[in-house]
Amino acid sequence: MNTVKPMAVVTGASSGIGRELARRFADEGFDLLVCAEDEGLAAVAEELRGRGAAVREVRVDLATYDGVEKLYAAVSATRRPVAAAALNAGIGQGGAFLDTDLADEARVIDLNIASTVHLAKRLLPGMVELAEGRMLITSSVAAAVPGSHQAVYNASKAFLQSFAQGLRDELKDSGVTVTSLLPGPTDTNFFHRADMADTRLGRMRKDDPAQVAGEAFEAMMRGREKVVAGSVRTKVQGVANKVLPDRLKAAAHRRLAEPHPDGADRPAH
């Protein structure tokens, strides 16, 4: 790796928002250490090299303790400071809580919450020691919405939002900033993996992941507290979430997240 360039770590980098964040880092002159669990990571890493970045790819399952430790060992092996880290890996699980498998819900917690806390614990001391660094934590506009038919996922994003804000305050005099990213429904494979393709939420028009990542990158590099990124609709939702009562938000979420297979062939707007 070219030690003149700053280095960024991006998790969940094989697709969606993570891939777009990695592309933006490469285009802005960063070298990269990218992580995901699937085989698509190799192609992304090769593309990033074509954009001029030196890239180390780490294929591990961050939903496990050992996976996070292996990622951090790879970071340490570069012997380079981490200038920026986008903790973006995450999954969802749709369905009524009493109908979903415990193992599936536990994996949401392990990846979205446990791995983010674990990796932040490993990366932040080095940043603080150098008194500089940027960290992005991917939450969601769902963080402010009680998640009927997506209860564990929405709760995990509420945790991440609170976690990011707490870290930001603790580090306010350290030279290190923490920014939370709150995207809305984005055009990724999230809804298919979460078994939500037959829901109104799964079928509605999605935001462009490149736009979301671009706004996230700018907010992180400017050291902003948080960014509701994406379309005007998503930004309006972010404002509405501040004023609507929880019972109304939960009821609205149910209508969007419960299955509607009979209407699966009709687009939602």
Side-chain angles (χ1 to χ4, degrees), residues 215-266:
E215 293 180 18
F217 181 88
E218 294 294 338
M220 174 182 58
M221 297 311 293
R222 292 175 182 173
R224 289 176 54 190
E225 176 185 356
K226 59 185 176 181
V227 55
V228 178
S231 64
V232 172
R233 181 193 63 215
T234 294
K235 291 178 171 59
V236 169
Q237 182 181 350
V239 173
N241 285 344
K242 296 178 181 180
V243 297
L244 291 174
D246 284 348
R247 62 180 179 80
L248 292 184
K249 289 188 288 187
H253 194 279
R254 170 189 281 271
R255 290 192 293 272
L256 290 172
E258 62 185 355
H260 286 274
D262 292 341
D265 60 338
R266 296 194 301 271

Side-chain angles (χ1 to χ4, degrees), residues 18 22 33 46 124 170 180 189-190 198 207 233 248:
L33 192 151
E46 192 60 29
L124 283 172
E170 287 186 26
S180 59
N189 62 1
F190 172 88
D198 61 349
D207 291 347
R233 181 193 63 215
L248 292 184

